[in-house]
Amino acid sequence: MKMFSVAHKTVFVVDHCPYMAESSRQQVECDVLTKSRAQGVIPLAPVSKSLWTCAVECSMEYCRILFDVYPKDKLVNYIVSDSEFHILNTWRREDQSTHELMSALAAVGPPNPREDPECCSILHGLVAAVEALCKITELQHEKRTALMDTAERVANRGRIICLTNAKSDTHVRMLEDCIQETISEQNKLAAGSDRLMAIQQCDLVLVHIYPQGEETLVSDRPKKEISPLLTSEVHSVRAGRHLASKLNILVQQHFDLASTTITNIPMKEEQHANTSANYDVELLHHRDAHIEFFKSGDLHMAGTSTRENGVKETMTLKWCTPRTNSIELHYCTGAYRISPTDVNSRPSSCLTNFLLNGRSVLLEQPRKSGSKVISHMLSSHGGEIFLHVLNSNRSTLEDPPSISEGCGGRVTDYRITDFGEFMRDNRLTPVAESSHDPSGKLPVERAKGQLERYTRYWPMIISQTTIFNMQAVVPLANLIVKELLTEEDLLTCQKTIYNLVDMERKSDPLPISTVGSRGKGPKRDEQYRIMWNELETLVKTHAGATDRHQRVLDCIIACRSKPPEEEERKKRGRKREDREDRTEKNGSKEAEDKSWQESERLKGLLEKEDQESEVIKDSPDSPEPLIKKPRLISEDVQPPERAKGPATLLSMWTNRITVANSRKHQEFFGRASSVNSKFELYQHLKEENGIDTHENGKAAR
Amino acid sequence: MPTVVLMDVSLSMTRPVSLDGIEEFQRKNLAVHGLNMLFEHMASNYRLEFTALMAFSSLWELLVPFTRDYNALQEALSNLEDYDKTCLELALQGVSSVVQQEWGNGCPCQVVLVTDGSLGIGKGSLRHSLQTLKHRGDDKKFPLPYPFPTKMFILCIANAEELQMTDAMENLEELLRLSGGDGQIFTVDGPLCMKSVQAMFGMLIDRAYSPFHAVLHCGNLSSDVQVFPRPEPVVVDEEVEPIPRAVSTEVDEVGTGATDELEEEPSASQMAGKSPNFCVLLHGSLKVEGMVALVQLGPEWFGMLYSQADSKKKSNLMMSLFEPGSDPLPWLGKISHLGPVSEAAENPYGEDDSKSPFPVQPQVKRSYAQNVTVWIKASGLQTDVQKILRNARKLPDKTQTFYKELNRLRKAALAFGFWELLKGVAELLERECTMLPDSAHPDAAFQLSHAAHQLKLASSGDSQYAAFDHNIVPMHTDFSS
């Protein structure tokens, strides 16, 4: 098993010997005189390109199409050969652009006709090409080092495209032999090097270019095997447009491309802005975009045409004028990059600019029957145009059941808005590959880490939470999930807590859910106890992160309300307590406080038990199970954690048990709410009143 | 993945099977029993898949077109009639046209062929079909391999020993190979009876119809999910030689992105919330916010979750799988390099959600997004020269455009070694200079002769003037005084 096909590496070897300076004898009239000016002016003599110019511009066109369709990992190395070889670029990714190559070609300039032909040969370039193929590319290196198990599967294959003017068939054979010999020599060398690899397969494509009006001295020959390592094919082509169409066909063959002609493109006439005519634009792209036609054999039916030498086929698709402002998500089965065949013609640039400006065009497949089938769509993403394949048949995904038919689908008070906010906070953004994080984690891992922190305590339904329905808690809830807290963050959290204490003193009502409970629900002080418990649960899941997180928890524990029977005492000691909270670090007062806390705690626990049994007895007004749940947590939340310092083993253990227990009880509520027949009936009524009302309990943010 | 059940109703299927001498069954009854079991399984575990039922003998008939109504399929099974001889090739042809008519040729399909292994005699028999495989014209090609990806399961109401007595097994293996090789031949283990046929269909269910259960995680929130259709392993074939990849059952939600830049990609699977409620919550918020969630399905394999509605009332959570790889959607960049917005100095979505960090622009613009110069066609060259001349006649108003176009032509001519063109255009500019009307601004003449001179210098190849990155700048003139 091998990785990397011959398409990974392409070496262009272009002949720069004196005879390439010869004229192609294809003349271009570039002085097109307008009628009004024609009188008395002698037009400029037509110019003609040299064989070299023809070779260079056609090879650049090959590269342009290649780089458009495969912006990476299909690499080109460009070599020019005269009395020596000139390597114009490397396999490195930043060297892979037509601009780089054009710049290097300008430095080389056209062949010097006065140079001694005896010293010049294409052979220098061909030898250099074999050497270049042995050089390892970045991708090959990455794969070899990244995957030990696949290291031996990294193959080294490549293609040499040689543009030259050969003397005869014998000359061609000599070139082939020479390449074969160089491969064996270089392979021996490569065996002992880290940066070199032996060539496992090399395809030579020799293009013999001769001027118009001359007879060729070299015959065409299809691909044949010279040795197990080398295949060779010969194309004998006239310079000019024949060469251009030959290289266009080759780039399609070499990179599995296919052609689509967009027909019926309406375009304003240049001369008469009020009229419009219809134009055609040909695009190249990966042939998988035509896979439906290839398979069904439709390619030979309507909509295809065979042109010129019979090798090139194009699929015709009809432009459908786009409806404005329609953002539709189409059922798309693939997207393929395109390259226009005639990139700077007016119809091409009109189409590509239209698409680059963010518009999409649906394309219709002409059918014999006359029925209209939209099979493709053109659209750009980030400055690149893609041909999208749309599914035009029936989809197996049709008519999916509603999510409300599934489990949990009948629950109606999900925190949809809150989760939307959660998603916005957890959105992703591209991070430069060069930016290094001290943790050594990839950005995506850090994003997952954030998700983990944000979801440590995240009740999914409104009736399961109090604190997330309170505007007053928002500042703390938003900050506590952060990886690190600043001193200012800590202060904000503490302020939030003091604010809650203040609310409690003023007996402000809390948005405790009364869903499913008859009567008024829990009493005010009970509501605050529930709220404090929940807040403590939230903060506890983060307390271990940093010292400041822990201090937020400490603050809650220090500030939270005392059990009801202590109310009197609390009132008396309020002032003192407040002072204490603000001067927590004060040692002498703390010691005094501790003993007070201890007795408080014991009383609290006793009191707790009393209350619990009382609640159960008191059936008509007893809070429904939903509210019971947080109270269970509170039993353990009271404990000796008021003391400063790191958590003890006991407190960690009890925390753990608490969390485990609370989960179990939470589940009990869920079960009760969805299965209990009485409950179900109530919800049904609610539903008739409209789903949205369930969010009413929540304070607007 | 849709299934076509191809049921053999030839006469040989009515051969009796004695079960301990107590009751007599036909092979057909056993087959129907097995298929009923399959349909019952699908009705409870695979109810979103489409299945069609075809019967064949010397002809074929579509008894039930593709449906999710498993009662209809079972009903049709109970009304099967007996026909004449087996002619598999025609029936396989029928499967091909039925599938393509319904789903086109891109949709993978499972074919469940239920037969007793007597594959006909003479013309039309499988043996005959396979023997003549290579001597056929284009119009009479054997229907396999199908144009759509196929999984072929052949269930023989016969045991292996029985099939090996003739060449039936060999022929069936050849058939499986022709279909593309993805599939299996099942035979009855031991004597034919209800139990052994049940066991055989049980093996088929395990192999091809086991429901795909997974867990969707989003940090500490999670939900058990079932995925329809089952995501199939994908064979990646890019620079890397084919490596099959399977979806891991632990699906990780990575984060969310804005919808407007995403299309549905390769294959889409539907998720139905099975147990807790996180899916419902996620779906609701994705729908309201118009967002999609990125999911990780395995190492370097990603997909997205979004709310899909086919009508106003019904919507569900859909998962689309991207092609495996580190950057499946080029305009998102490498997925591993998507980080939380909280790390960014400034919110890339803007404080009021008016911006987006997507699409990521490629480092190098594509040829159609830059002003490239191509002179393959004479018209390309003529247009560029005319552009320069047009601007030359409007000097000095069009000085900037004139030099911009001139430099573009100069660069291309230098790269293509087309010095003759530089000389030609220089001559044209000199001619324009002589033809300037009396009313022309004096600057026009200066600029034209300056430009012509510079082009001539460049065409000499002198490295000082012919450098690619060098630009001809307008001549500095001052006519204000």
Side-chain angles (χ1 to χ4, degrees):
Chain A
M1 285 244 279
K2 305 275 167 59
M3 293 159 104
F4 298 96
S5 69
V6 279
H8 180 52
K9 289 164 141 179
T10 304
V11 188
F12 266 100
V13 181
V14 184
D15 200 336
H16 195 248
C17 297
Y19 47 76
M20 290 296 281
E22 258 181 59
S23 167
S24 66
R25 291 183 216 152
Q26 191 188 353
Q27 299 193 320
V28 185
E29 200 77 58
C30 61
D31 188 17
V32 187
L33 292 166
T34 52
K35 281 170 202 156
S36 59
R37 295 173 54 90
Q39 287 152 355
V41 179
I42 305 148
L44 187 78
V47 290
S48 84
K49 296 173 186 168
S50 63
L51 294 181
W52 165 258
T53 299
C54 290
V56 166
E57 68 175 0
C58 293
S59 61
M60 278 302 107
E61 186 65 359
Y62 181 105
C63 294
R64 180 188 68 79
I65 293 167
L66 170 59
F67 294 147
D68 273 356
V69 179
Y70 296 94
K72 58 173 205 177
D73 297 337
K74 304 278 185 239
L75 309 173
V76 170
N77 196 350
Y78 206 101
I79 296 171
V80 165
S81 184
D82 43 43
S83 61
E84 54 184 353
F85 61 83
H86 310 267
I87 302 180
L88 303 192
N89 70 336
T90 70
W91 295 124
R92 292 166 63 85
R93 280 169 185 148
E94 63 261 34
D95 277 2
Q96 302 296 314
S97 79
T98 46
H99 184 266
E100 288 293 323
L101 294 174
M102 301 257 285
S103 170
L105 281 166
V108 169
N112 179 359
R114 284 176 295 281
E115 205 168 356
D116 179 8
E118 290 304 308
C119 309
C120 295
S121 167
I122 188 71
L123 268 177
H124 302 295
L126 288 172
V127 170
V130 173
E131 286 172 12
L133 284 181
C134 287
K135 284 182 194 146
I136 191 167
T137 66
E138 285 159 296
L139 183 69
Q140 284 177 319
H141 180 68
E142 280 162 23
K143 291 287 176 193
R144 277 218 304 199
T145 47
L147 308 152
M148 284 315 286
D149 56 326
T150 53
E152 71 280 5
R153 301 194 344 192
V154 175
N156 190 36
R157 303 174 219 183
R159 181 179 285 126
I160 299 174
I161 302 176
C162 177
L163 305 179
T164 184
N165 179 289
K167 291 181 185 70
S168 62
D169 288 346
T170 331
H171 183 208
V172 170
R173 255 195 308 284
M174 188 274 282
L175 295 177
E176 288 167 350
D177 290 346
C178 173
I179 291 174
Q180 172 57 36
E181 208 172 292
T182 315
I183 291 177
S184 356
E185 276 169 27
Q186 288 297 319
N187 278 359
K188 275 176 212 150
L189 266 176
S193 166
D194 254 3
R195 307 302 298 184
L196 298 179
M197 277 179 88
I199 297 169
Q200 284 145 324
Q201 189 192 336
C202 175
D203 289 359
L204 172 68
V205 180
L206 197 135
V207 183
H208 165 69
I209 308 169
Y210 60 97
Q212 306 244 341
E214 266 182 31
E215 288 301 311
T216 178
L217 302 168
V218 175
S219 37
D220 264 4
R221 206 191 56 208
K223 191 166 169 173
K224 80 164 190 194
E225 196 173 276
I226 306 286
S227 80
L229 297 181
L230 180 67
T231 68
S232 165
E233 61 191 270
V234 181
H235 303 272
S236 185
V237 199
R238 275 193 198 93
R241 64 187 170 87
H242 299 281
L243 180 63
S245 68
K246 171 59 78 181
L247 279 168
N248 186 289
I249 290 162
L250 287 178
V251 73
Q252 292 190 51
Q253 284 172 356
H254 294 167
F255 296 96
D256 293 336
L257 305 184
S259 155
T260 296
T261 300
I262 317 298
T263 184
N264 261 15
I265 304 174
M267 209 173 81
K268 292 237 162 67
E269 288 282 2
E270 212 161 3
Q271 313 298 334
H272 321 279
N274 295 327
T275 60
S276 81
N278 290 337
Y279 288 89
D280 290 2
V281 171
E282 187 191 353
L283 305 174
L284 295 177
H285 48 78
H286 195 278
R287 66 160 171 234
D288 278 359
H290 283 173
I291 200 145
E292 285 266 325
F293 311 130
F294 281 129
K295 279 181 175 169
S296 61
D298 271 358
L299 205 62
H300 296 282
M301 287 156 45
T304 58
S305 63
T306 306
R307 295 183 313 199
E308 289 168 18
N309 41 19
V311 180
K312 195 168 164 181
E313 282 175 327
T314 188
M315 179 77 203
T316 305
L317 294 173
K318 206 174 136 213
W319 161 290
C320 299
T321 302
R323 279 169 287 163
T324 46
N325 301 330
S326 74
I327 303 160
E328 288 170 70
L329 206 60
H330 296 280
Y331 178 43
C332 163
T333 55
Y336 303 90
R337 288 189 176 87
I338 60 103
S339 182
T341 312
D342 201 358
V343 66
N344 55 3
S345 76
R346 206 171 145 262
S348 276
S349 59
C350 276
L351 176 66
T352 52
N353 286 331
F354 184 80
L355 295 166
L356 289 174
N357 285 333
R359 309 287 294 274
S360 299
V361 177
L362 291 172
L363 302 173
E364 184 191 324
Q365 193 186 328
R367 290 229 166 144
K368 272 182 185 166
S369 56
S371 61
K372 202 172 161 175
V373 178
I374 303 286
S375 60
H376 291 77
M377 179 181 78
L378 278 170
S379 183
S380 73
H381 306 280
E384 287 188 283
I385 299 173
F386 293 81
L387 180 62
H388 299 67
V389 183
L390 306 180
N391 183 34
S392 45
N393 293 98
R394 184 179 173 191
S395 162
T396 55
L397 302 170
E398 69 175 32
D399 195 26
S402 168
I403 193 146
S404 62
E405 289 165 29
C407 196
R410 291 281 161 224
V411 181
T412 49
D413 64 337
Y414 285 107
R415 293 170 58 204
I416 300 284
T417 319
D418 289 354
F419 198 71
E421 210 161 293
F422 166 92
M423 293 198 302
R424 271 200 296 279
D425 290 343
N426 282 284
R427 271 188 294 199
L428 299 170
T429 187
V431 178
E433 289 192 35
S434 51
S435 73
H436 277 288
D437 186 69
S439 69
K441 278 185 179 169
L442 284 169
V444 77
E445 295 304 322
R446 303 203 294 271
K448 284 187 199 170
Q450 180 172 314
L451 277 185
E452 191 281 322
R453 288 200 311 280
Y454 275 54
T455 54
R456 284 189 195 158
Y457 177 72
W458 213 96
M460 286 194 279
I461 55 176
I462 293 165
S463 54
Q464 243 172 18
T465 180
T466 303
I467 55 170
F468 292 113
N469 299 330
M470 291 168 65
Q471 184 61 36
V473 180
V474 170
L476 185 146
N478 284 348
L479 288 171
I480 199 71
V481 293
K482 283 173 66 177
E483 203 166 11
L484 297 171
L485 294 180
T486 62
E487 199 57 41
E488 200 187 329
D489 293 340
L490 174 62
L491 215 62
T492 312
C493 290
Q494 287 168 338
K495 269 186 200 159
T496 307
I497 296 163
Y498 300 147
N499 185 30
L500 293 173
V501 172
D502 206 41
M503 282 172 67
E504 182 170 19
R505 192 168 49 217
K506 288 189 284 185
S507 260
D508 287 351
L510 292 182
I512 296 268
S513 167
T514 52
V515 173
S517 68
R518 283 172 293 154
K520 282 180 284 184
K523 295 196 179 81
R524 192 60 43 87
D525 54 349
E526 175 63 19
Q527 289 181 359
Y528 272 90
R529 218 164 53 78
I530 291 165
M531 185 278 291
W532 283 116
N533 284 341
E534 199 188 359
L535 190 63
E536 211 171 300
T537 309
L538 165 70
V539 175
K540 256 185 191 165
T541 62
H542 296 280
T546 66
D547 184 45
R548 286 186 182 128
H549 284 92
Q550 177 63 41
R551 279 163 67 192
V552 177
L553 179 62
D554 294 344
C555 181
I556 293 173
I557 294 167
C559 289
R560 62 170 301 173
S561 60
K562 306 294 169 293
E565 277 184 2
E566 295 302 322
E567 205 57 32
E568 275 304 299
R569 171 145 189 202
K570 204 167 71 182
K571 270 176 195 161
R572 272 184 276 123
R574 175 97 63 202
K575 281 185 182 171
R576 195 191 64 167
E577 213 184 307
D578 284 356
R579 256 202 324 278
E580 271 169 17
D581 283 341
R582 274 163 209 143
T583 56
E584 276 173 326
K585 295 255 151 107
N586 189 315
S588 64
K589 279 197 176 157
E590 197 166 13
E592 187 192 332
D593 195 36
K594 249 185 200 165
S595 59
W596 179 79
Q597 283 168 357
E598 198 57 20
S599 63
E600 202 85 331
R601 188 181 66 84
L602 285 170
K603 278 183 194 165
L605 284 174
L606 286 170
E607 212 262 323
K608 185 114 300 159
E609 275 171 22
D610 277 353
Q611 221 183 26
E612 208 76 287
S613 49
E614 205 183 328
V615 166
I616 292 160
K617 273 185 285 175
D618 192 12
S619 67
D621 277 326
S622 77
E624 49 116 24
L626 141 89
I627 296 156
K628 232 178 196 170
K629 180 223 79 197
R631 188 180 302 148
L632 286 164
I633 297 167
S634 76
E635 281 171 45
D636 304 77
V637 169
Q638 290 290 54
E641 274 184 311
R642 297 194 72 170
K644 291 271 153 215
T648 63
L649 194 59
L650 175 64
S651 68
M652 280 158 72
W653 175 253
T654 38
N655 275 348
R656 207 184 131 94
I657 297 291
T658 310
V659 171
N661 281 347
S662 72
R663 277 197 193 130
K664 280 173 194 161
H665 289 286
Q666 222 171 327
E667 193 185 78
F668 173 69
F669 165 69
R671 195 147 31 100
S673 64
S674 62
V675 182
N676 182 305
S677 56
K678 278 176 191 168
F679 196 84
E680 198 90 85
L681 197 62
Y682 193 79
Q683 285 214 330
H684 182 64
L685 284 167
K686 282 242 162 189
E687 247 176 45
E688 281 186 351
N689 293 337
I691 291 157
D692 287 344
T693 55
H694 292 275
E695 285 207 55
N696 282 354
K698 191 189 156 203
R701 287 190 184 170
Chain B
M1 199 190 313
T3 297
V4 182
V5 174
L6 186 56
M7 172 77 177
D8 187 344
V9 288
S10 65
L11 218 49
S12 62
M13 286 292 280
T14 62
R15 280 182 289 163
V17 179
S18 72
L19 297 172
D20 305 330
I22 305 162
E23 235 180 321
E24 287 241 321
F25 278 110
Q26 294 177 355
R27 289 185 194 233
K28 187 178 84 174
N29 303 130
L30 291 177
V32 167
H33 177 70
L35 282 174
N36 269 323
M37 177 181 154
L38 175 66
F39 290 155
E40 269 160 31
H41 169 82
M42 290 175 85
S44 50
N45 296 292
Y46 245 71
R47 66 198 163 86
L48 294 180
E49 297 285 17
F50 288 91
T51 304
L53 179 63
M54 278 171 66
F56 78 102
S57 55
S58 64
L59 299 170
W60 61 269
E61 187 187 357
L62 179 61
L63 298 177
V64 184
F66 284 100
T67 181
R68 284 169 174 160
D69 180 357
Y70 287 92
N71 289 332
L73 289 162
Q74 285 183 305
E75 171 126 8
L77 272 186
S78 61
N79 295 325
L80 284 181
E81 286 178 44
D82 304 322
Y83 294 91
D84 54 347
K85 63 174 188 170
T86 313
C87 182
L88 197 53
E89 183 173 341
L90 269 181
L92 291 171
Q93 190 74 58
V95 169
S96 182
S97 61
V98 164
V99 169
Q100 289 194 73
Q101 235 163 47
E102 196 82 43
W103 312 110
N105 50 26
C107 177
C109 232
Q110 307 197 97
V111 179
V112 174
L113 167 62
V114 183
T115 176
D116 59 349
S118 20
L119 303 162
I121 34 169
K123 218 175 168 196
S125 69
L126 182 61
R127 185 188 300 120
H128 183 262
S129 293
L130 295 175
Q131 277 166 355
T132 56
L133 215 52
K134 285 173 189 147
H135 321 287
R136 293 167 182 240
D138 271 353
D139 51 333
K140 280 188 178 170
K141 270 198 170 151
F142 192 66
L144 294 181
Y146 289 134
F148 46 87
T150 316
K151 284 193 181 197
M152 170 85 75
F153 298 103
I154 303 170
L155 288 104
C156 301
I157 311 296
N159 51 42
E161 296 78 42
E162 196 182 331
L163 294 173
Q164 271 149 6
M165 288 200 293
T166 63
D167 59 355
M169 196 54 162
E170 264 171 61
N171 286 330
L172 289 175
E173 277 166 2
E174 176 67 6
L175 189 69
L176 181 63
R177 200 188 56 73
L178 280 173
S179 75
D182 196 358
Q184 199 175 331
I185 301 170
F186 296 91
T187 55
V188 174
D189 203 12
L192 289 184
C193 63
M194 288 288 184
K195 232 176 150 182
S196 57
V197 168
Q198 259 177 28
M200 177 172 73
F201 275 85
M203 272 153 62
L204 170 71
I205 287 168
D206 287 347
R207 165 80 204 267
Y209 294 96
S210 53
F212 189 92
H213 291 290
V215 185
L216 177 68
H217 293 284
C218 169
N220 294 296
L221 298 169
S222 69
S223 173
D224 292 336
V225 292
Q226 192 182 349
V227 184
F228 293 104
R230 205 164 68 156
E232 297 292 329
V234 170
V235 176
V236 184
D237 186 12
E238 185 39 27
E239 281 304 344
V240 177
E241 200 82 6
I243 301 173
R245 298 233 208 172
V247 176
S248 95
T249 48
E250 295 287 301
V251 181
D252 244 334
E253 191 191 326
V254 172
T256 46
T259 359
D260 50 0
E261 274 306 320
L262 291 163
E263 312 288 335
E264 279 180 57
E265 281 298 310
S267 76
S269 305
Q270 189 193 341
M271 285 187 136
K274 269 283 169 186
S275 58
N277 322 349
F278 173 61
C279 270
V280 188
L281 172 68
L282 176 67
H283 168 265
S285 300
L286 289 175
K287 188 176 179 179
V288 169
E289 301 288 335
M291 291 171 90
V292 302
L294 198 60
V295 280
Q296 179 155 19
L297 303 126
E300 300 217 320
W301 198 0
F302 300 91
M304 62 176 184
L305 294 171
Y306 52 96
S307 165
Q308 157 113 345
D310 75 331
S311 64
K312 272 182 187 153
K313 274 187 178 170
K314 289 201 286 183
S315 61
N316 208 327
L317 195 60
M318 291 285 266
M319 177 167 74
S320 286
L321 309 191
F322 302 148
E323 299 234 342
S326 57
D327 55 347
L329 304 182
W331 53 94
L332 296 187
K334 264 193 185 165
I335 302 273
S336 61
H337 280 78
L338 294 178
V341 276
S342 57
E343 286 182 8
E346 199 182 312
N347 188 348
Y349 291 92
E351 290 314 316
D352 51 353
D353 264 355
S354 57
K355 295 191 286 182
S356 172
F358 301 106
V360 175
Q361 301 285 336
Q363 281 166 338
V364 182
K365 281 184 177 175
R366 304 282 88 90
S367 70
Y368 46 81
Q370 353 168 0
N371 199 2
V372 293
T373 315
V374 180
W375 293 331
I376 301 268
K377 287 190 177 166
S379 60
L381 180 56
Q382 284 157 357
T383 311
D384 286 347
V385 172
Q386 289 308 312
K387 250 187 230 167
I388 292 171
L389 291 183
R390 251 200 328 271
N391 285 298
R393 285 162 204 151
K394 290 175 189 163
L395 286 171
D397 296 347
K398 294 279 183 181
T399 305
Q400 292 308 318
T401 340
F402 170 75
Y403 279 100
K404 196 183 128 212
E405 290 298 331
L406 191 74
N407 280 312
R408 193 165 76 86
L409 176 126
R410 177 186 169 279
K411 269 195 167 54
L414 287 173
F416 298 153
F418 200 0
W419 293 354
E420 197 186 334
L421 178 72
L422 295 175
K423 290 186 191 111
V425 173
E427 277 174 42
L428 280 175
L429 294 180
E430 280 167 351
R431 189 187 69 196
E432 287 300 319
C433 196
T434 63
M435 289 166 65
L436 283 171
D438 297 340
S439 59
H441 193 283
D443 196 19
F446 280 98
Q447 298 298 352
L448 283 175
S449 51
H450 166 69
H453 181 63
Q454 290 292 318
L455 285 185
K456 278 190 176 160
L457 285 173
S459 74
S460 69
D462 184 331
S463 59
Q464 198 192 329
Y465 300 101
F468 186 72
D469 290 322
H470 174 81
N471 275 321
I472 303 175
V473 290
M475 190 185 202
H476 183 73
T477 52
D478 190 358
F479 293 96
S480 56
S481 53

